[in-house]
Each structure stands twice: as structure tokens, then as C-alpha cells.
Amino acid sequence: LCDGCARFRLLCKRCLIFAVVNRGVHKETGEAVAIKAIEKGRTDVSAIRREVAILQKVGSHPNIVALRDVFETADTWYLVMELVTGGELFERLVKQGPYSEKEASRLMRQMAEAIAWLHSQGVCHRDLKPENLLLVDGSDDAAVKVCDFGLSAFCGAGRPPLSAAVGTVAYMAPEVVRRAEYGAAVDLW
């Protein structure tokens, strides 16, 4: 861990990197996919199992990246996922500038529908940010998909409130920063 993460008991993006995503092709169907390879030695098994369980539960929504399959070897997990080729919303904003109000409204609706779906399924993403919103393709009217469920957690009825300070500091809701108990509402921050 870097000095900041050790001092504040948070994980920055540099310290969280434990996976690599590559493009792949299904041998039988020819479908292009994204393959997320996660080194077992850099994470705990329960975190990967939770991410897989969450993706299996919520991945049927059109604005959430779908999990196609999971494979495990002695030292690596492989998550085979839907391939989206438009890049991060963040990269698009940096490269081309802000969206028009009409286009921003369209994307916000898609994000809100995805978040509503997550919450209806008892899932809190906990790391929503422009870098975790992918564009389906490079077109001007590309749809957006929520990705990266590595910090997500099950929440809601029958579960204890969340309290771990996880996520990207610049985007954290105040209750997460304070390490207070919180629920799915932090995804709206």
C-alpha cells in the first residue's frame, strides 16, 4: 500500500489494481468479449465471489455490463464479460468536452435506470464515477453501461448497514468518508 492508503486506511486506484482486462473471442460463436483476469494473490476469494454473485444478479439490465462466464485456475479468476468498445465516459468528456443538455439528459436517464435496478436487487455499487461508466461504442448516441462491481455490496432489507470506507475518495458520499453507517443512497452522491 502507498503511504496515503496505509495512513488513512483507504485504497487509492494505484493500490487497488489487481486485474487486467483483455479482449477475447468465444471460439464457438465468434462473439467478441472482455476478459477480466484477477490475480488471486492480490485479493481475497470472498471479494471475487461477491463480485461474481452481484454481476450474476444484476447483469441482465441493458445499462449494466453483463457477465457471460467465470473460470478459475490455481492463481487467477477469469470473468468473461460483455465487450463494450466506446471507452470510459470520463475519457469521452476529456476528449470531446461536455455533452449537450439533451444528450446529458439521455445518459443520466440510463444511469438512473441502472442504479434503480441495482438498488431494487439489493445491491449498492459504492464506486460510481465517470471512469466506471462505459460507452457501448464510439458513436455520438452511444448508450452507457455501469461496470466495475469490485467494491459493490449487497444491502437493504435483512442486511446490516454498510460502514466500510470504500470507493474513490473524490466521489465518496459524506457518510462514507465519515465511516458512518450507510445504505444504497450513497450511489446517488
Side-chain angles (χ1 to χ4, degrees):
L1 298 179
C2 71
D3 291 338
C5 287
R7 185 174 337 132
F8 296 108
R9 294 183 302 174
L10 296 170
L11 293 177
C12 67
K13 189 163 184 132
R14 184 171 53 111
C15 292
L16 275 174
I17 296 174
F18 61 90
V20 176
V21 179
N22 291 299
R23 186 182 187 127
V25 176
H26 190 284
K27 288 182 179 181
E28 294 173 7
T29 67
E31 176 189 16
V33 293
I35 303 172
K36 182 177 181 178
I38 305 167
E39 295 178 33
K40 287 184 176 177
R42 301 221 32 204
T43 190
D44 71 72
V45 173
S46 64
I48 300 303
R49 291 188 196 285
R50 183 181 62 245
E51 181 176 0
V52 168
I54 287 171
L55 283 166
Q56 288 172 332
K57 186 166 187 164
V58 303
S60 62
H61 191 277
N63 297 110
I64 295 175
V65 174
L67 178 68
R68 300 276 193 248
D69 212 338
V70 179
F71 299 94
E72 180 181 3
T73 65
D75 57 355
T76 308
W77 289 83
Y78 296 96
L79 278 58
V80 181
M81 307 184 78
E82 168 186 14
L83 178 67
V84 292
T85 59
E88 298 173 358
L89 177 61
F90 180 81
E91 292 171 347
R92 195 277 184 200
L93 290 168
V94 169
K95 184 177 177 183
Q96 297 180 5
Y99 282 95
S100 69
E101 186 174 339
K102 181 178 179 180
E103 285 301 303
S105 172
R106 180 182 64 80
L107 291 175
M108 287 300 297
R109 179 182 190 94
Q110 292 174 9
M111 288 183 272
E113 288 173 354
I115 294 167
W117 172 251
L118 289 175
H119 295 175
S120 76
Q121 299 301 301
V123 173
C124 180
H125 188 282
R126 301 197 299 184
D127 197 26
L128 287 171
K129 57 187 177 180
E131 295 89 342
N132 285 341
L133 300 169
L134 300 178
L135 298 167
V136 173
D137 57 41
S139 68
D140 289 340
D141 62 346
V144 69
K145 290 194 178 244
V146 176
C147 72
D148 197 351
F149 287 81
L151 298 177
S152 297
F154 289 105
C155 64
R159 297 189 182 271
L162 301 170
S163 61
V166 298
T168 304
V169 175
Y171 298 99
M172 281 183 183
E175 54 269 48
V176 177
V177 174
R178 287 192 316 264
R179 291 184 172 83
E181 291 182 345
Y182 60 87
V186 299
D187 284 345
L188 303 178
W189 177 253

